[in-house]
Amino acid sequence: MTLKVTVRSLALLLLITLAGCGYRSTAEYQLEEYEERISNVTGQPMPSATVSFPEMPPLRQRQYPLPDIRLKALEALNLLECPRLTQLIAHRNNSLGKQMQPSQLLHYEKKLIVQLEDCTNYLQQQNKKAELRARLKAILQRKEAALPAAKWNMLLSGTELPSQLSGFQTLLPLHGDNGRQGTLEALNYLRLYLKNDRFAPPYDQQSLEMQLQQLTASHYSGQLLAAASAITNTLNRVSVMLEKSDNICPQGRRSVKIERLNNVFRLFYVDSIQPYMAKVVSEGREWRSVMLPLLLELPPAPDKAMKDYLLAITGSDYAFSVWQQLDKAILRHTRSWQKVLSECQMQPGQIPPN
């Protein structure tokens, strides 16, 4: 009995040890440890977070209402001259068609516009059914006017991209791809899909759904944004603690405190956080270079909250942008360390007093 308990205890201890080792290799650990070590050495309390991860607005603030034009009257007309249009309308009005997801609805709307144009042109060429042609043209105009809203809804009221942006559990890993390539390829594809009105591969329904599924395969975008926010908070916290620390080097003489601070700086910031920060900044720039052209294919946001959210995650000049705040935090952190090192005669080229 005692042996079984001992074996179980050792197994549990091993699992806890392995879990701890795994956490030590995460970005979360490196950032937290850097803050805590600086707090311990300076004797300063841990400051509060300065920024928060931008939250995506609820569905009602990121969805355009679409006019409900089911075309049942046209279905009843049995347009023998336009069988493709008739079949498309019939599909929309059946039980499956009424449950279309935003991506399926956009694909349908694009096809419907093409078929309405073809049917109207055909009837015009044949000089048939003038009254029906006028009805078709009126419906076509309404459908064309609503298409930008359908594009928006496909991208931002569906589940795939919102999940990619907000459904994260951890920060971007210190190393590795973690869905980066697949995410960028999917976002690039969606830009081309929104721009193009063709329906042959790769712009068919199946290809669209495959690319949307690629977005659900990882939470790269959300983890990248979360990493930028976390780095910003850590750098700002460290800056506050350094700025509030007086007399680290009395009369400019090197002290035990500055030696310990310098060790923390090299061990955690230079060796780990700085390369991670460079990765996040670089990949953030790349990610925005794909996201911004994609958003340009869409109409303006349906609500101010959604407009502000998109500016916060993609903007570079916007005051509350994740990336603007990160840039400011990096600059502040650099200046805080420069001030401390200068006061302690540890800047390159400085000679400490005897």
Side-chain angles (χ1 to χ4, degrees), residues 172-173 175-182 220 279 283:
L172 197 69
H175 309 288
D177 179 270
N178 202 51
R180 168 183 156 275
Q181 191 61 37
Y220 172 77
K279 167 187 168 78
E283 292 189 15

Side-chain angles (χ1 to χ4, degrees), residues 181-191 211-212 214-215:
Q181 191 61 37
T183 297
L184 296 179
E185 288 175 358
L187 294 175
N188 261 319
Y189 169 87
L190 290 171
R191 176 181 63 82
Q211 293 295 332
L212 288 172
Q214 182 67 46
L215 290 179

Side-chain angles (χ1 to χ4, degrees), residues 28 31 51-56 156 161-173 178 183 187 219-233 276 279-281 283-289 291 295 306 308-316 320-326:
E28 288 90 339
L31 294 171
V51 299
S52 58
F53 183 81
E55 292 188 12
M56 179 172 287
L156 289 160
L161 184 57
S163 174
Q164 164 81 209
L165 287 168
S166 56
F168 66 94
Q169 299 296 324
T170 58
L171 303 184
L172 197 69
N178 202 51
T183 297
L187 294 175
H219 298 301
Y220 172 77
S221 300
Q223 290 179 330
L224 177 64
L225 293 165
S229 296
I231 294 170
T232 298
N233 277 322
Y276 180 62
K279 167 187 168 78
V280 170
V281 169
E283 292 189 15
R285 192 178 297 116
E286 181 183 35
W287 179 79
R288 281 178 289 158
S289 74
M291 274 294 292
L295 294 175
M306 192 62 195
D308 290 343
Y309 170 78
L310 292 176
L311 284 172
I313 66 172
T314 63
S316 56
F320 296 101
S321 160
V322 168
W323 307 105
Q324 172 81 307
Q325 292 182 93
L326 177 58

Side-chain angles (χ1 to χ4, degrees), residues 6-16:
T6 302
V7 171
R8 288 176 181 173
S9 299
L10 288 173
L12 180 59
L13 181 61
L14 178 60
L15 287 173
I16 293 172

Side-chain angles (χ1 to χ4, degrees), residues 44-158:
Q44 295 292 330
M46 187 71 70
S48 301
T50 56
V51 299
S52 58
F53 183 81
E55 292 188 12
M56 179 172 287
L59 181 60
R60 68 178 185 276
Q61 293 180 313
R62 55 184 168 88
Q63 184 178 46
Y64 270 103
L66 291 176
D68 188 18
I69 309 172
R70 292 296 179 87
L71 309 182
K72 287 187 177 181
L74 289 181
E75 185 180 11
L77 291 175
N78 190 20
L79 288 167
L80 297 178
E81 297 91 345
C82 306
R84 291 183 178 178
L85 176 59
T86 303
Q87 291 171 6
L88 197 60
I89 295 170
H91 174 67
R92 176 71 173 104
N93 291 331
N94 67 26
S95 58
L96 290 177
K98 292 176 182 178
Q99 299 175 19
M100 286 182 176
Q101 296 300 308
S103 58
Q104 297 169 325
L105 183 57
L106 173 60
H107 202 73
Y108 163 80
E109 294 292 334
K110 290 173 68 176
K111 277 190 170 182
L112 182 63
I113 286 173
V114 171
Q115 293 305 321
L116 283 169
E117 289 175 339
D118 288 350
C119 185
T120 303
N121 291 336
Y122 175 78
L123 294 176
Q124 179 74 40
Q125 292 170 0
Q126 299 297 317
N127 197 24
K128 291 182 177 180
K129 302 181 178 179
E131 183 178 345
L132 177 59
R133 291 203 310 269
R135 290 180 61 190
L136 289 176
K137 286 182 179 179
I139 292 171
L140 176 60
Q141 289 175 353
R142 293 181 64 190
K143 287 292 182 181
E144 288 177 331
L147 188 61
K151 290 181 176 182
W152 171 281
N153 286 351
M154 183 276 288
L155 197 63
L156 289 160
S157 76

